[in-house]
Amino acid sequence: MNICKTPAEISQLCDNWHKQNLTIGLVPTMGYLHDGHLSLMDIAKSKTDKVVVSIFVNPTQFGPNEDLDKYPRDFERDERLCRERGVDAVFYPTPADMYAPDFSTWVTETSLSQALCGLSRPIHFRGVCTVCLKLFNLARADVAVFGKKDAQQALIIKRMVRDLNVPIDIIMAPLIREPDGLARSSRNKYLSEDEHNRALSISRGIFAAEKAWKNGEKSAAKLTAILRKSIEDAGGQVDYVELVSQSAIRPIETVDQPALLACAAFFGKTRLIDNVFLE
Ligand code: PAF
């Protein structure tokens, strides 16, 4: 497995692969890998000849009071997991490698990012879009795989790629849960045992709302109320619980089009997100 530390190195490696007519799948991550990431690598592997995993805690997508400094990092473990999974290259740059001191060009998606996480994390998606476009340009990947856990992120990246004619296929991969139901996230590590147990109210609420929808409930007010109540009864602090259209990420009153029930909630200081696609 190749370890590329600089943009020039990953670009050169991918160039060589392209010259051999090999296709490239990219899995962008911030490291501290878990089963969710591994499933993205498997999907990339099944679609392309070479798989690149980027491991970069991207500073530009964190707000001033967010967890950039304490975001969990363990490169040795990540490297081993990638190797065991048959990844062909890991791209592991430093912030200085990715952002010149006078960096001044941003990608801003102006519609889908104006809801859900975009409201409580105003610069988040600008940082995500910018770094992803940089990664797409460096690898010139044919395919990039994003998890549905970060549903809004994946939909925004799809929109960016469409709007800017980036020649890459974006695959949205299923959300992976822990055996007890909690959506897999590197941030789950922050939770105490008690917080973890109470945070299970999120997935319980998601499953209950999904079941109600499958049984014919179409009212957004009723479906969101099920999820909100589950979280609040467990002492979670809701950031948002919303039922939105998948096409525009705008609140809808009735599930009469492909929809997304999404939430963010704090347990202790940890902000968790979860969702289900209703389609
Ligand atoms: O989902 C993530 O881990 C990050 O937002 C991403 C896509 C790697 C961009 O930094």
Side-chain angles (χ1 to χ4, degrees):
M1 187 177 74
N2 299 272
I3 310 274
C4 299
K5 292 212 162 155
T6 64
E9 279 167 21
I10 191 71
S11 185
Q12 173 78 61
L13 179 68
C14 292
D15 255 358
N16 289 343
W17 285 337
H18 282 302
K19 281 184 188 135
Q20 296 167 55
N21 282 329
L22 298 169
T23 54
I24 299 177
L26 173 69
V27 179
T29 82
M30 297 206 300
Y32 212 72
L33 304 173
H34 52 69
D35 283 356
H37 296 116
L38 301 182
S39 73
L40 306 183
M41 295 172 202
D42 291 346
I43 292 173
K45 226 172 147 44
S46 72
K47 306 261 174 208
T48 55
D49 301 315
K50 296 285 179 189
V51 175
V52 176
V53 173
S54 61
I55 297 181
F56 179 57
V57 182
N58 174 35
T60 65
Q61 68 190 71
F62 288 78
N65 299 317
E66 294 184 4
D67 56 344
L68 172 61
D69 291 338
K70 72 167 186 164
Y71 195 85
R73 292 157 168 94
D74 188 345
F75 182 68
E76 269 177 34
R77 181 176 161 276
D78 289 346
E79 185 190 340
R80 178 173 50 77
L81 289 172
C82 288
R83 205 179 285 281
E84 285 169 6
R85 215 66 181 189
V87 166
D88 299 283
V90 167
F91 178 44
Y92 180 55
T94 64
D97 286 326
M98 291 296 277
Y99 295 104
D102 56 352
F103 183 90
S104 59
T105 306
W106 298 97
V107 182
T108 308
E109 191 286 325
T110 58
S111 178
L112 308 183
S113 54
Q114 302 304 304
L116 308 183
C117 290
L119 296 179
S120 37
R121 307 187 70 193
I123 61 157
H124 176 66
F125 290 116
R126 182 188 75 159
V128 169
C129 285
T130 304
V131 81
C132 285
L133 187 60
K134 284 166 72 69
L135 294 169
F136 296 168
N137 285 339
L138 286 169
R140 272 130 15 250
D142 300 275
V143 165
V145 191
F146 291 84
K148 279 187 170 175
K149 151 86 179 358
D150 297 300
Q152 187 178 16
Q153 165 173 282
L155 292 169
I156 289 172
I157 295 290
K158 264 180 172 283
R159 174 67 63 93
M160 173 186 82
V161 158
R162 186 202 72 180
D163 288 353
L164 301 183
N165 304 99
V166 186
I168 190 168
D169 275 344
I170 302 300
I171 297 181
M172 290 175 57
L175 184 156
I176 303 293
R177 297 183 180 280
E178 298 192 7
D180 60 14
L182 192 67
R184 290 257 186 217
S185 164
S186 305
R187 290 189 168 99
N188 292 351
K189 176 189 157 59
Y190 299 149
L191 298 167
S192 67
E193 198 182 332
D194 171 62
E195 287 165 350
H196 183 119
N197 288 336
R198 290 190 294 113
L200 297 179
S201 59
I202 302 178
S203 47
R204 272 201 308 273
I206 289 273
F207 299 149
E210 184 183 24
K211 187 167 172 206
W213 170 70
K214 282 188 174 154
N215 287 336
E217 182 59 71
K218 289 205 160 75
S219 152
K222 292 200 175 133
L223 294 169
T224 52
I226 293 171
L227 176 53
R228 179 177 284 275
K229 181 169 179 345
S230 177
I231 296 170
E232 289 180 344
D233 284 354
Q237 194 197 324
V238 169
D239 177 2
Y240 64 78
V241 173
E242 295 257 24
L243 208 149
V244 295
S245 63
Q246 283 177 32
S247 55
I249 315 200
R250 284 289 175 275
I252 50 177
E253 286 178 10
T254 308
V255 186
D256 53 6
Q257 57 182 298
L260 175 72
L261 174 62
C263 69
F266 286 90
F267 282 85
K269 289 194 170 132
T270 306
R271 184 175 179 278
L272 301 170
I273 58 173
D274 203 338
N275 67 70
V276 59
F277 283 68
L278 305 178
E279 52 195 359

